[in-house]
Amino acid sequence: MEVIHLKAGENVAKRKDKVSAWYIVQEGNVTLRHEFEETTLGPNAIIGILEQDWFICDYYASTDVTLYVFPCEGVNDLKQFLAAEPKMRRIFLRSALLQRHQLFCAYADMYHKVRQFQNLSDTLYEEYVYLCARSKVEAKQSLDVANITPLEMQHKAENWEINNSNSLIRGALDAYLNLMETDEDLCIGSIMEASAQMHRIARGIREMTNYLRNNRDALFSQVRSDLFHASLLLQSGVKARGGDDGEIKKLIEKQLGYAKELGIFQEELLVSCAKEYASNTEKETAVDQECKTDLEYILQFAGYEGDKYQEMQELFVAYEKVKDADNKDEAAYRLRKQVGKVFYELYWDCFLQAVEGRKKITPVMEMFFNFAYIDQGFLGEDKTSELYQLSAHLDMCASDHVFTIFRWLRAVYEGEKEPSKNEFDMDYTAYLNDGLRRGEWTKEEVARRKQDQKAKARYELENMFTSVNRVTYGNITMFSPVLCEKDLFNSLDKMVVTADRIEDAFNTVRKIDYSLFYRPMLPRTGTSDLIKNEMVMEEILPDVILMPNAGTRAMMWQETASVRNDTPARFMIPIFTAVDLQEAILENCGRYRWEMCRKIQGVRWNDIRERSLTSDYYDYLQFYRKNRELSAETKDQIKGALARAKNNFREIFVKDYQNWIKYEAKGGFRLNRYVRQIMFTYCPFSKAYRADLKTNPMFADAIGKLETNNARNYKRLQGLYEKYKREGGTITPELRENLNFYQM
């Protein structure tokens, strides 16, 4: 087993990382972190034992730690390890049972927190309604707290499980261990049973975490539609009439006290709310007081005045009055075209007001920036209300690799991300050089623009945003950038594309095509001659940008973020969609496979002398008529596929890739023998799927060759890395990932 040392605060594993190894804590402590709960894992604890495929929890070193690492993706790897190390049976089983008990305790704490939240929400809301009635003030009817429903658990711990674990840990643990370690199958069965329970319980804790995160805004939030701000407003009204606000003060102080006790709110939010209460102010901005509609508010947020304000307002009002949003007459077409032009100008002006800190982003502006909302007249009251509620939970649409369009543009503006290619496949540097060549800019102007983050963000908005927004909508001729009621023909919770939905869809493909996002790279660390020129396989997950429309098409916009191959691809998806997200992701993973190979191969992408996915596939389609391995029927099928794809070889590959993942991986044959061979060579199945197909004569030889090559590479790398360590080198996570790649 490999030994690694981590400093306090360093990550051991992050949620959504691929599980390729388990870690045994030798010295120190590791913290298992949920959002509102933490569990400390001490010596002999096993990190990864409760996980499946991808980590569902975060783990970080709470002290300096020493960890043993051994590759493990399931019961077969565990069985091999314990067969080779029988003395570890008792340690593993003991650790599994103790960790299960710890997780049950964390589950019980979280369950109590959820019950406490539900009871407090009901109690505090009833007190608020009572005080409103007593003060002869109408209670706010739109408060979310009135609609909080009890949580129905999908992954629940039963009482008998908790009681069983308690009894085992408190009195019968040694006797149980003595019995189980006598038999390998009994021991492994007990470990995996505990592992399955822990996985379910961890998912249950995540369910409760999501419930609290999604409902806590009903009590305290920044969007001011919560119980706390309603209570402040009630207090202000009573004080303005000269009434006694003593009972209302007690209610507000109770709310603040309970919020701190629950421990589910951000500290900054509670400090801000406490300051508001202390000053007893609930002032509306001048803009809020003057504006009658959301359209007027957005226009004033952008800083428009006079004629420009009037012209923009009249244009959007005229567009709102078009009875048939799909009207194809000339007047409606011209109106759509005008709106399409001015919308992005309005977006840019509002964007600058927000990112330069001139104005605070309110819920209406959140809706505008992320969903292209303009006014209630375009959506209707019900859909507007749904959208308003969704704007309070935009964190559902965000992760390290998933961005709303506003968050993406902000990342470009702040220099965290580089601009995307435009519709002519030109990146920002190529675009500037083209302008220099055509005489639009001087060398000095080009040099300035290369460092100008505002210019980069403007380029991103005027190129990628405008182009992709139209294409992902799905109907280019009838496209309008303004979100309309006709586009939202289903409930928003069913149409919204969340980060979890996206990651689940990608993981479904990655689980089968394990090498999908891996690329050969030179090591980023290590200067030893032993490894500095040794290519390593590194997984680089794509960035996904959610376009503010209700569309029907996803896109793989570019296979890398720049000319460098170590940057993530960019996938574009509508933030609301009615199509099957899994199908859309799978289709674009196929396009990514093709385009990434083309980029790596360069001008030789179709040169059969340089064997690659694209060159083999190009040769197969270009010369299929002369291929004696193909039957006449198969040749007719290829001819038909070429005609349907208009001789676009990539699109034929994409269809075959979809069949490869959906059917061939499960033993359903849809491809001819020649294509199957190409696919297995460049898009092989993961170990779990290969195990199921090993006995199938269609795959037996290919699987045997792949696993022999993987074993040879693994053994060679092991020897190389051992020599590197003897010279004083450190096996970095990058090198460990490369080693694990050959065991997938």
Side-chain angles (χ1 to χ4, degrees):
M1 287 190 294
E2 182 192 349
V3 178
I4 62 172
H5 304 279
L6 297 177
K7 298 291 185 184
E10 289 188 299
N11 287 324
V12 179
K14 291 175 65 179
R15 181 175 168 267
K16 298 177 183 175
D17 283 352
K18 188 173 179 61
V19 178
S20 55
W22 287 4
Y23 306 84
I24 305 171
V25 181
Q26 177 65 14
E27 294 178 1
N29 293 321
V30 172
T31 297
L32 185 163
R33 176 187 288 163
H34 306 284
E35 191 166 351
F36 305 127
E37 284 288 333
E38 292 187 347
T39 301
T40 300
L41 305 176
N44 292 330
I46 305 167
I47 298 163
I49 193 169
L50 68 85
E51 310 289 354
Q52 296 175 9
D53 300 324
W54 284 272
F55 284 97
I56 59 173
C57 302
D58 290 315
Y59 301 84
Y60 70 95
S62 44
T63 65
D64 291 354
V65 294
T66 301
L67 304 171
Y68 287 138
V69 185
F70 74 98
C72 185
E73 294 184 39
V75 64
N76 291 332
D77 292 332
L78 177 64
K79 193 169 185 176
Q80 288 178 10
F81 176 78
L82 292 182
E85 301 280 350
K87 65 179 183 295
M88 297 294 291
R89 285 183 194 170
R90 188 182 185 92
I91 294 173
F92 265 52
L93 180 54
R94 183 185 183 87
S95 295
L97 298 175
L98 290 173
Q99 283 177 239
R100 181 183 66 177
H101 183 69
Q102 284 181 293
L103 213 57
F104 276 136
C105 293
Y107 178 94
D109 289 343
M110 184 63 74
Y111 187 77
H112 173 72
K113 192 168 288 189
V114 168
R115 293 290 299 273
Q116 188 180 18
F117 173 80
Q118 292 170 340
N119 292 335
L120 287 174
S121 299
D122 291 341
T123 302
L124 294 173
Y125 179 65
E126 287 173 6
E127 283 192 49
Y128 164 75
V129 173
Y130 167 73
L131 290 175
C132 283
R134 204 176 74 171
S135 304
K136 298 181 180 178
V137 174
E138 185 176 355
K140 290 186 71 173
Q141 300 300 313
S142 59
L143 293 178
D144 294 344
V145 69
N147 300 314
I148 294 177
T149 56
L151 173 64
E152 294 184 11
M153 297 285 294
Q154 299 296 315
H155 303 91
K156 188 177 180 181
E158 302 294 341
N159 287 334
W160 66 264
E161 293 180 289
I162 299 174
N163 294 337
N164 173 269
S165 179
N166 287 337
S167 297
L168 187 61
I169 297 300
R170 289 171 183 168
L173 183 58
D174 287 336
Y176 186 80
L177 292 172
N178 291 337
L179 173 64
M180 292 299 155
E181 73 173 330
T182 59
D183 184 89
E184 181 184 24
D185 290 330
L186 279 176
C187 183
I188 289 174
S190 296
I191 292 171
M192 296 312 295
E193 181 182 29
S195 170
Q197 282 181 303
M198 283 190 277
H199 185 77
R200 172 165 48 84
I201 298 313
R203 294 187 69 180
I205 292 174
R206 180 157 178 76
E207 269 189 77
M208 292 185 280
T209 297
N210 289 339
Y211 175 82
L212 290 173
R213 185 176 0 100
N214 292 338
N215 286 290
R216 64 184 175 180
D217 290 345
L219 296 184
F220 289 85
S221 75
Q222 296 284 7
V223 299
R224 310 177 74 83
S225 63
D226 53 289
L227 183 61
F228 171 77
H229 286 97
S231 302
L232 276 187
L233 194 59
L234 172 63
Q235 182 193 18
S236 298
V238 169
K239 285 178 65 178
R241 298 200 312 267
D244 180 9
D245 65 341
E247 291 298 316
I248 303 172
K249 280 184 178 180
K250 289 181 182 178
L251 172 62
I252 295 172
E253 288 166 4
K254 194 185 297 183
Q255 291 171 359
L256 289 166
Y258 284 152
K260 193 169 183 179
E261 182 184 331
L262 278 169
I264 63 174
F265 295 96
Q266 294 179 340
E267 185 64 28
E268 312 89 77
L269 174 63
L270 295 184
V271 169
S272 172
C273 289
K275 286 180 179 177
E276 283 190 75
Y277 169 60
S279 60
N280 191 26
T281 58
E282 179 62 29
K283 296 179 181 178
E284 294 179 313
T285 65
V287 171
D288 289 333
Q289 293 170 356
E290 294 169 6
C291 295
K292 296 178 181 177
T293 67
D294 290 339
L295 171 60
E296 292 175 356
Y297 180 86
I298 293 168
L299 295 176
Q300 290 194 21
F301 187 95
Y304 293 166
E305 298 176 346
D307 291 343
K308 186 163 188 178
Y309 176 93
Q310 195 67 29
E311 288 171 8
M312 295 283 269
Q313 184 184 33
E314 289 174 357
L315 176 61
F316 281 106
V317 168
Y319 185 62
E320 181 185 323
K321 290 178 179 177
V322 175
K323 297 297 182 185
D324 180 4
D326 287 327
N327 197 324
K328 297 181 181 179
D329 65 31
E330 187 65 24
Y333 172 77
R334 283 200 303 270
L335 201 53
R336 267 196 304 275
K337 197 169 182 180
Q338 283 180 279
V339 167
K341 287 181 179 178
V342 303
F343 174 84
Y344 297 105
E345 179 187 348
L346 173 62
Y347 195 101
W348 175 250
D349 292 331
C350 289
F351 176 79
L352 287 182
Q353 296 282 358
V355 297
E356 292 179 356
R358 291 180 234 160
K359 294 181 180 176
K360 184 179 178 181
I361 301 176
T362 60
V364 169
M365 295 313 300
E366 290 275 22
M367 292 158 68
F368 170 75
F369 284 132
N370 297 290
F371 309 125
Y373 168 81
I374 287 292
D375 195 79
Q376 182 173 311
F378 288 94
L379 283 184
E381 186 176 349
D382 291 342
K383 290 297 183 187
T384 301
S385 178
E386 280 188 73
L387 205 64
Y388 182 85
Q389 302 303 326
L390 183 58
S391 70
H393 303 293
L394 274 172
D395 56 334
M396 295 191 306
C397 302
S399 71
D400 291 345
H401 291 283
V402 179
F403 300 79
T404 62
I405 186 62
F406 176 76
R407 182 168 162 248
W408 178 262
L409 290 172
R410 187 167 208 155
V412 174
Y413 177 84
E414 293 174 352
E416 296 173 13
K417 296 289 183 179
E418 286 300 307
S420 307
K421 292 180 180 179
N422 63 19
E423 58 186 329
F424 302 110
D425 205 34
M426 295 168 60
D427 63 18
Y428 187 63
T429 301
Y431 162 76
L432 292 178
N433 292 337
D434 185 60
L436 177 63
R437 181 181 57 79
R438 290 187 281 108
E440 289 184 16
W441 302 305
T442 63
K443 287 184 178 180
E444 293 74 17
E445 178 69 5
V446 167
R448 185 190 67 77
R449 285 175 175 267
K450 283 183 178 179
Q451 306 302 319
D452 187 343
Q453 295 304 136
K454 185 187 289 189
K456 289 182 179 181
R458 184 73 185 248
Y459 172 84
E460 187 77 341
L461 182 141
E462 292 179 346
N463 289 274
M464 183 280 285
F465 186 8
T466 56
S467 300
V468 175
N469 203 26
R470 184 176 66 252
V471 177
T472 54
Y473 179 72
N475 187 347
I476 295 176
T477 58
M478 303 307 297
F479 169 71
S480 166
V482 176
L483 188 66
C484 297
E485 188 172 14
K486 71 178 179 67
D487 299 318
L488 301 174
F489 51 83
N490 208 335
S491 62
L492 295 193
D493 62 331
K494 292 181 180 177
M495 294 185 71
V496 68
V497 177
T498 65
D500 282 346
R501 285 185 65 193
I502 290 169
E503 285 156 0
D504 286 347
F506 274 118
N507 288 345
T508 298
V509 184
R510 290 168 65 206
K511 191 174 179 179
I512 300 171
D513 182 4
Y514 70 94
S515 62
L516 174 60
F517 294 116
Y518 276 88
R519 304 175 194 171
M521 301 286 179
L522 287 172
R524 300 173 191 267
T525 55
T527 56
S528 168
D529 290 338
L530 277 174
I531 66 167
K532 69 179 182 181
N533 295 318
E534 178 78 23
M535 300 297 283
V536 298
M537 297 301 292
E538 182 179 351
E539 188 174 37
I540 301 175
L541 298 178
D543 288 333
V544 179
I545 305 167
L546 299 175
M547 306 309 295
N549 66 57
T552 59
R553 186 179 175 192
M555 296 187 70
M556 197 287 296
W557 186 248
Q558 55 192 83
E559 63 282 357
T560 58
S562 68
V563 293
R564 293 170 48 189
N565 287 344
D566 61 350
T567 53
R570 291 180 182 172
F571 284 66
M572 315 305 197
I573 300 173
I575 198 165
F576 299 112
T577 182
V579 299
D580 188 326
L581 184 63
Q582 182 66 65
E583 283 294 317
I585 293 291
L586 175 58
E587 180 182 343
N588 283 283
C589 285
R591 291 196 178 91
Y592 167 82
R593 268 287 191 189
W594 182 272
E595 295 299 335
M596 193 65 228
C597 182
R598 279 193 58 163
K599 183 175 181 66
I600 291 173
Q601 295 300 116
V603 295
R604 296 184 179 275
W605 71 271
N606 62 353
D607 188 341
I608 195 62
R609 292 172 298 181
E610 296 278 346
R611 297 296 298 273
S612 68
L613 170 66
T614 50
S615 65
D616 280 8
Y617 214 83
Y618 183 90
D619 183 67
Y620 154 67
L621 290 175
Q622 185 78 1
F623 303 107
Y624 76 91
R625 291 185 183 89
K626 299 178 181 179
N627 193 332
R628 295 179 180 178
E629 294 184 40
L630 302 175
S631 66
E633 182 183 0
T634 300
K635 290 178 181 179
D636 286 341
Q637 290 172 352
I638 296 171
K639 182 179 179 181
L642 284 167
R644 288 191 297 274
K646 299 178 181 178
N647 280 337
N648 187 324
F649 289 2
R650 183 190 70 180
E651 293 309 302
I652 297 175
F653 166 77
V654 169
K655 294 296 182 188
D656 286 343
Y657 181 82
Q658 288 175 283
N659 285 327
W660 178 246
I661 299 297
K662 288 169 63 178
Y663 303 109
E664 295 269 337
K666 301 173 180 66
F669 303 117
R670 298 295 179 91
L671 306 177
N672 64 58
R673 186 166 66 88
Y674 203 85
V675 173
R676 186 176 296 114
Q677 181 180 346
I678 296 174
M679 286 291 187
F680 198 92
T681 302
Y682 300 106
C683 312
F685 299 136
S686 62
K687 183 161 50 175
Y689 285 84
R690 295 199 302 269
D692 291 339
L693 295 170
K694 262 185 179 179
T695 57
N696 192 309
M698 296 280 195
F699 290 99
D701 288 344
I703 290 174
K705 288 178 184 177
L706 175 69
E707 295 190 341
T708 299
N709 287 335
N710 281 349
R712 187 183 299 121
N713 284 323
Y714 184 81
K715 187 174 181 180
R716 182 184 68 82
L717 286 172
Q718 267 191 320
L720 184 67
Y721 290 172
E722 285 298 324
K723 189 175 180 181
Y724 175 58
K725 283 198 292 185
R726 286 197 296 272
E727 290 186 358
T730 301
I731 304 301
T732 62
E734 174 190 35
L735 298 178
R736 282 199 301 275
E737 181 181 11
N738 184 48
L739 198 60
N740 290 335
F741 176 81
Y742 294 101
Q743 290 197 310
M744 291 183 179

